[in-house]
Amino acid sequence: MSSPLSDHEKRKQISVRGIAGLGDVVEIKKSFNRHLHFTLVKDRNVATPRDYYFALAHTVRDHLVGRWIRTQQYYYEKDPKRIHYLSLEFYMGRTLQNTMINLGLQNACDEAIYQVKPYTSCFLDSMASLGLAAYGYGIRYEFGIFNQKISNGWQVEEADDWLRYGNPWEKARPEYMLPVHFYGRVEQTAKGVKWVDTQVVLAMPYDTPVPGFKNNTVNTMRLWSAKAPIDFNLQEFNVGDYIEAVLDRNLAENISRVLYPNDNFFEGKELRLKQEYFVVAATLQDIIRRFKSSKFGCRDPVRTSFETFPEKVAIQLNDTHPALAIPELMRILVDLEKLDWDKAWEVTRQTCAYTNHTVLPEALERWPINLFEKLLPRHLQIIYEINHLHLQRIAAMFPGDNDRLRRMSLIEEGDPKRINMAHLCVVGSHAVNGVARIHSEIVKNTVFKDFYEVEPEKFQNKTNGITPRRWLLLCNPGLADLIAEKIGDDFLTDLFQLRKLLDFIDEDSFICDIANVKQENKQKFAAYLEKEYEVKINPESIFDIHVKRIHEYKRQLLNVLHIITFYNRIKKDPSKHFVPRTVIIGGKAAPGYHMAKMIIKLITAVGQVINNDPVVGDRLKVIYLENYRVSLAEKVIPAADLSEQISTAGTEASGTGNMKFMLNGALTIGTMDGANVEMAEEAGEENLFIFGMRVEDVDAMDKTGYNAREYYERLSELRQVIDQIQTGYFSPKEHELFKDVVNMLMNHDRFKVFADYEAYITCQDRVNELYKNPKEWTRTVIRNIAGSGKFSSDRTISEYARDIWGVEPSDVKIPPPNEPPVESRK
């Protein structure tokens, strides 16, 4: 007789990751071996782990291809409205495991093999899972966001050559290569306006499949790569300069060479503007080609009717980077398709919608007119005309209000004059949204106040979300299985089901199971740190995690002040009992952002002193996570006890890291900023550690003036910390190393770190108190997990679909392909 199964084994048996039958396993092994031999031309004697990964990736892709083709056929047959999501950056992640989960193949494949590959963002995952006919469009950067090395405490950037070994997920589509024009001049002819004497760069599409969760839908992410045309510059050279001309092709292909790091600071670089137009021009040609070939579209051979264009096409502008879609669509409709201006403008506005992502003024794109004139002369004319008609309308509504006209103009006066791309987006879109409720209110009340007064119905909120398939099922299978055991696995497509967990809030065995899963994750992460960083940490300590881009407004400095305060308290009274803590900070600084790089150096310097102080022991450790990225997030987030979300109120648009931590059972210490506000609402404010100024307090302080010295003089613990940094306690070989940091904090800190210091320290004391009571801590964790249902990207995308794109999510399962398709229309 077999012995009874343990709870863990039972959970393993009913794992929500999908159980593959023996036949699947045999089939997958055969396919795996075939790809190892015939695709990679290797045998097991010489194959590397990367070869095995590629063989497995090709095997999984084989399962996708039939569904991918069938999905596109299905869209052709049904002709639904298509959504086009334009973004200059799609984040990286693990495609292989995500794909296996969405296909239900996870248990049939070896989970140990993974690699960092392009991940198509939570939104594209949700669009496919909700059965929306959606396309993600962006640039296929040869070099992604840089790899970060920490050398002697300083950030050093290294190129991320992610395509060096190829990408098994993408399919090149040279047959859909499209021309993109730059420079040249505008000519007025009898037949209308012509843009002539341009330089052409070709846009070559690479398609990546985006599978929905177990619904047979496979959408497409299409990324464009820049290629020089065959005759690029050759006509300009004599025979002797042929070699030089060929070498010059690199200039054209530089457009898709490298991703600009997002540092919330606008720099008007010509290459960046080229990238922005390149993706927009190629994408719009692609969209219009698909519209014209639509089965039910008007297919008049002489002239396409664009009357139905907004009924069949939605374009979502993710931030201002793809804003040029507005003048480019106008150029196509007016110059090429010969629509009259008013009709073209109506079509453009009804098609485009804009998502705002930042309220920081220095991040808003403002392109100099002279650069536009040189690079995109026709688009400049179109923007001038859009602005002229827009200001005419405003002047009629507010006669004599010249100040309002100046504030609302698309063109900012100055030397040089600049185009305000956010204003262009607002004027040229039928919907404008922020990404958390507090952010959307700020957008209406400050950033676009004048525009909101004119067209209030245009402004909406769409609170961000994350996909539970990646950010729970894939990265935290132990927790996912435990939840499924209690409430079933419907939560993976309806995250609000997590509310049912509240029924078990007083069940001791469930509380214990949740705590055990967290402890297992912590031990696993501690082992990873020991292996990768050669640092031993205490798995019983609070894992206090602060991972995000390094930026002054995200206030990593406030965290550092708490770390040093805690250190000083231990040194002052070494025999006292302190709740042990491991502070883990990670994130990249934009290469040109001096203060962000100094913040990294300060964190590592403080860590160096604390981690080597025998008095402290394992009561406090400070670790800087090198090269923080999605695949590292998947390890650290499930292990977190405390999630730091401490930006100055009114500066963070939403955040999504905060949601990932909440879903994975970390408690949040945070300000009432971004999505934290709604998280507190969903879980109950008493179940988060909320501290500090609210938006109205910050506004009031802006009016009266913020005086850092007043806090420095009043708060003795703060004064001690600042003096230590200032006098070189953490930089004994270079006493003045951090003078810029101290100078900024004392004299021109826009983000008011000292103003929230006292409240933050008090709040951290509350964290320690609760952690001393493991049962109450875990019950608070359960309340947070149960309250995270709102933060699914499925909910976000359903709202975009209904309120902005005018389409209804579908739970139709596309019939799987039974035979090789005759024709495919991508």
Side-chain angles (χ1 to χ4, degrees):
M1 197 174 123
S2 61
S3 60
L5 292 170
S6 70
D7 282 353
H8 178 69
E9 284 165 325
K10 277 185 205 158
R11 284 214 295 273
K12 211 166 172 183
Q13 278 203 348
I14 64 159
S15 168
V16 292
R17 282 171 285 171
I19 295 170
L22 197 59
D24 288 345
V25 176
V26 171
E27 199 46 53
I28 282 166
K29 280 172 81 171
K30 269 167 66 176
S31 181
F32 177 87
N33 286 325
R34 191 176 70 246
H35 279 297
L36 192 61
H37 283 257
F38 295 108
T39 309
L40 299 163
V41 198
K42 291 277 184 87
D43 67 18
R44 287 178 180 270
N45 297 320
V46 293
T48 64
R50 182 177 282 104
D51 294 324
Y52 289 132
Y53 164 74
F54 271 61
L56 184 54
H58 282 294
T59 301
V60 174
R61 201 183 85 156
D62 289 351
H63 277 78
L64 274 184
V65 166
R67 292 172 171 88
W68 197 7
I69 292 170
R70 181 71 194 103
T71 300
Q72 305 310 318
Q73 290 174 332
Y74 181 81
Y75 292 162
Y76 182 69
E77 288 155 15
K78 301 292 181 189
D79 197 32
K81 183 170 185 177
R82 288 169 164 88
I83 317 304
H84 307 87
Y85 191 80
L86 271 67
S87 179
L88 263 278
E89 50 186 85
F90 285 103
Y91 285 99
M92 315 293 279
R94 301 194 292 196
T95 304
L96 177 57
Q97 281 188 291
N98 203 58
T99 301
M100 293 194 300
I101 275 174
N102 282 2
L103 291 177
L105 288 172
Q106 176 83 19
N107 282 7
C109 295
D110 176 7
E111 290 176 52
I113 307 176
Y114 72 86
Q115 180 89 356
V116 181
K117 287 293 151 207
Y119 174 56
T120 56
S121 92
C122 292
F123 280 11
L124 297 192
D125 177 277
S126 285
M127 288 177 204
S129 296
L130 293 168
L132 299 173
Y135 303 79
Y137 281 101
I139 292 178
R140 180 182 178 267
Y141 297 103
E142 199 177 312
F143 296 93
I145 186 74
F146 61 87
N147 285 322
Q148 178 195 54
K149 288 271 178 268
I150 301 295
S151 176
N152 194 25
W154 295 97
Q155 170 178 296
V156 178
E157 300 85 27
E158 290 183 353
D160 172 25
D161 191 3
W162 72 283
L163 288 169
R164 177 184 295 172
Y165 297 100
N167 175 4
W169 300 104
E170 67 182 10
K171 174 73 183 85
R173 301 271 183 203
E175 69 276 20
Y176 290 125
M177 195 126 65
L178 294 168
V180 175
H181 297 261
F182 294 100
Y183 304 108
R185 58 192 176 81
V186 181
E187 211 172 63
Q188 193 75 42
T189 69
K191 292 184 177 174
V193 176
K194 274 185 145 178
W195 183 17
V196 297
D197 298 339
T198 56
Q199 282 185 24
V200 174
V201 175
L202 299 176
M204 164 115 143
Y206 287 79
D207 290 352
T208 299
V210 183
F213 183 64
K214 297 184 180 177
N215 65 350
N216 292 334
T217 296
V218 182
N219 284 339
T220 302
M221 177 175 72
R222 177 162 281 184
L223 301 180
W224 302 99
S225 183
K227 302 284 175 202
I230 291 167
D231 63 349
F232 179 78
N233 271 0
L234 290 188
Q235 66 276 21
E236 295 177 22
F237 292 90
N238 59 37
V239 174
D241 285 334
Y242 166 75
I243 301 294
E244 201 61 40
V246 172
L247 296 178
D248 247 24
R249 294 164 59 86
N250 273 339
L251 296 175
E253 296 176 1
N254 278 342
I255 289 174
S256 57
R257 195 81 71 203
V258 65
L259 168 68
Y260 275 86
N262 176 359
D263 59 355
N264 281 95
F265 186 78
F266 172 67
E267 287 184 291
K269 295 274 171 66
E270 182 172 334
L271 179 60
R272 177 63 166 183
L273 185 57
K274 275 186 174 171
Q275 287 181 340
E276 293 183 2
Y277 180 63
F278 175 76
V279 69
V280 155
T283 298
L284 278 168
Q285 288 179 73
D286 207 39
I287 291 170
I288 287 167
R289 171 192 62 76
R290 200 177 286 119
F291 172 73
K292 286 184 172 182
S293 66
S294 152
K295 194 171 174 182
F296 304 106
C298 171
R299 300 176 76 179
D300 180 328
V302 181
R303 187 172 173 188
T304 302
S305 166
F306 281 85
E307 293 285 335
T308 60
F309 193 75
E311 292 162 33
K312 289 295 179 187
V313 173
I315 295 173
Q316 190 67 35
L317 307 176
N318 185 37
D319 216 337
T320 55
H321 309 130
L324 286 165
I326 293 164
E328 173 65 2
L329 185 52
M330 285 297 290
R331 186 186 72 82
I332 292 168
L333 295 177
V334 173
D335 294 0
L336 307 182
E337 300 294 342
K338 307 299 181 191
L339 269 71
D340 71 63
W341 180 278
D342 291 346
K343 183 69 215 165
W345 183 239
E346 190 184 327
V347 167
T348 298
R349 267 175 58 112
Q350 288 311 309
T351 302
C352 295
Y354 160 56
T355 302
N356 172 272
H357 281 279
T358 182
V359 297
L360 297 180
E362 67 269 29
L364 295 174
E365 291 194 295
R366 298 175 160 94
W367 288 104
I369 290 285
N370 47 13
L371 180 56
F372 246 86
E373 204 161 21
K374 179 174 78 158
L375 195 66
L376 300 166
R378 177 58 180 141
H379 297 79
L380 181 60
Q381 290 183 345
I382 290 168
I383 290 168
Y384 273 141
E385 182 62 14
I386 291 170
N387 194 42
H388 170 69
L389 296 170
H390 158 64
L391 290 182
Q392 257 188 357
R393 180 167 163 261
I394 301 303
M397 292 171 78
F398 301 94
D401 192 345
N402 288 333
D403 200 45
R404 182 180 293 268
L405 293 181
R406 179 189 57 74
R407 292 196 309 267
M408 293 184 74
S409 177
L410 274 54
I411 312 294
E412 296 181 350
E413 296 301 323
D415 188 21
K417 289 184 179 179
R418 293 176 177 272
I419 302 170
N420 185 314
M421 301 304 272
H423 288 186
L424 174 62
C425 285
V426 174
V427 171
S429 298
H430 71 277
V432 176
N433 72 280
V435 290
R437 194 176 61 234
I438 187 173
H439 169 231
S440 297
E441 289 304 307
I442 291 168
V443 160
K444 292 191 296 193
N445 298 333
T446 59
V447 187
F448 300 130
K449 183 173 186 284
D450 294 316
F451 296 89
Y452 175 65
E453 285 172 6
V454 172
E455 293 179 293
E457 68 289 345
K458 187 185 269 195
F459 289 79
Q460 305 186 16
N461 173 54
K462 295 287 169 275
T463 298
N464 265 339
I466 55 171
T467 167
R469 272 81 61 184
R470 170 173 291 271
W471 292 111
L472 180 54
L473 182 55
L474 187 152
C475 74
N476 201 344
L479 181 59
D481 290 350
L482 182 55
I483 292 169
E485 191 184 306
K486 284 294 182 193
I487 66 171
D489 62 6
D490 286 351
F491 70 92
L492 289 170
T493 49
D494 175 12
L495 205 59
F496 282 111
Q497 300 266 338
L498 293 177
R499 278 257 174 253
K500 293 178 181 173
L501 293 175
L502 293 174
D503 296 344
F504 309 100
I505 192 90
D506 296 315
E507 190 181 288
D508 284 348
S509 62
F510 183 59
I511 293 170
C512 190
D513 284 344
I514 289 281
N516 287 342
V517 165
K518 178 61 75 178
Q519 200 53 37
E520 281 170 27
N521 289 335
K522 288 174 71 172
Q523 277 160 344
K524 206 192 293 182
F525 191 65
Y528 170 81
L529 285 182
E530 192 169 348
K531 180 170 171 280
E532 295 295 319
Y533 290 77
E534 296 175 355
V535 60
K536 250 181 131 56
I537 60 171
N538 175 5
E540 303 301 317
S541 64
I542 297 176
F543 280 19
D544 174 350
I545 317 288
H546 198 175
V547 283
K548 47 187 76 238
R549 279 183 300 111
I550 307 299
H551 197 291
E552 287 161 81
Y553 88 84
K554 294 179 183 284
R555 297 205 297 191
Q556 284 90 356
L557 282 171
L558 182 56
N559 194 344
V560 175
L561 300 187
H562 168 251
I563 292 167
I564 301 173
T565 303
F566 186 23
Y567 170 68
N568 288 337
R569 287 177 177 183
I570 297 172
K571 295 286 279 184
K572 187 177 177 186
D573 194 354
S575 58
K576 187 177 169 187
H577 172 72
F578 290 93
V579 177
R581 192 179 285 235
T582 302
V583 184
I584 299 171
I585 302 177
K588 296 175 182 177
Y593 189 174
H594 168 70
M595 187 53 67
K597 288 186 155 182
M598 289 307 303
I599 291 168
I600 292 175
K601 178 61 178 172
L602 177 61
I603 296 164
T604 57
V606 168
Q608 187 72 22
V609 170
I610 292 174
N611 298 346
N612 293 298
D613 191 324
V615 172
V616 175
D618 66 359
R619 291 183 286 187
L620 177 59
K621 285 275 183 276
V622 181
I623 291 165
Y624 199 90
L625 277 186
E626 185 178 74
N627 203 31
Y628 182 69
R629 59 203 181 279
V630 171
S631 55
L632 198 45
E634 289 169 359
K635 291 184 178 70
V636 71
I637 288 171
D641 289 309
L642 189 66
S643 158
E644 299 269 355
Q645 310 295 335
I646 57 177
S647 50
T648 312
T651 60
E652 184 72 83
S654 163
T656 53
N658 45 6
M659 302 167 187
K660 294 164 191 169
F661 282 104
M662 182 186 193
L663 181 60
N664 281 276
L667 301 187
T668 301
I669 184 166
T671 50
M672 277 299 204
D673 197 24
N676 296 356
V677 177
E678 289 155 86
M679 285 162 51
E681 238 169 56
E682 295 297 306
E685 191 175 326
E686 68 281 5
N687 294 305
L688 280 75
F689 298 103
I690 296 294
F691 73 93
M693 295 183 291
R694 307 297 210 250
V695 169
E696 51 275 22
D697 301 322
V698 175
D699 290 345
M701 189 173 281
D702 282 334
K703 291 189 176 76
T704 59
Y706 162 64
N707 180 1
R709 182 157 293 280
E710 178 195 318
Y711 298 93
Y712 171 82
E713 284 167 1
R714 181 167 61 82
L715 302 169
S716 59
E717 284 191 307
L718 173 62
R719 186 164 63 251
Q720 181 187 359
V721 169
I722 295 303
D723 290 349
Q724 284 169 305
I725 297 171
Q726 168 102 0
T727 57
Y729 185 94
F730 299 103
S731 53
K733 290 181 182 168
E734 202 178 332
H735 286 202
E736 295 202 340
L737 182 59
F738 299 115
K739 70 173 192 309
D740 287 356
V741 177
V742 173
N743 181 39
M744 182 274 290
L745 284 170
M746 292 295 290
N747 300 310
H748 39 88
D749 175 13
R750 292 164 53 206
F751 304 107
K752 307 174 179 63
V753 170
F754 291 2
D756 274 341
Y757 169 82
E758 194 173 14
Y760 181 54
I761 299 296
T762 305
C763 198
Q764 290 284 15
D765 293 340
R766 280 176 47 216
V767 172
N768 294 331
E769 280 309 306
L770 187 62
Y771 196 75
K772 287 180 193 169
N773 183 341
K775 184 174 178 180
E776 215 34 64
W777 179 281
T778 306
R779 291 177 81 235
T780 310
V781 163
I782 293 167
R783 289 188 197 100
N784 272 268
I785 297 170
S788 58
K790 176 179 181 176
F791 304 107
S792 168
S793 50
D794 295 347
R795 188 264 320 145
T796 310
I797 290 299
S798 296
E799 291 179 6
Y800 273 100
R802 293 185 178 113
D803 303 343
I804 294 179
W805 305 328
V807 290
E808 196 57 37
S810 158
D811 54 9
V812 171
K813 224 176 178 179
I814 294 175
N818 296 321
E819 54 191 36
V822 179
E823 128 184 271
S824 160
R825 295 176 187 272
K826 277 223 168 51

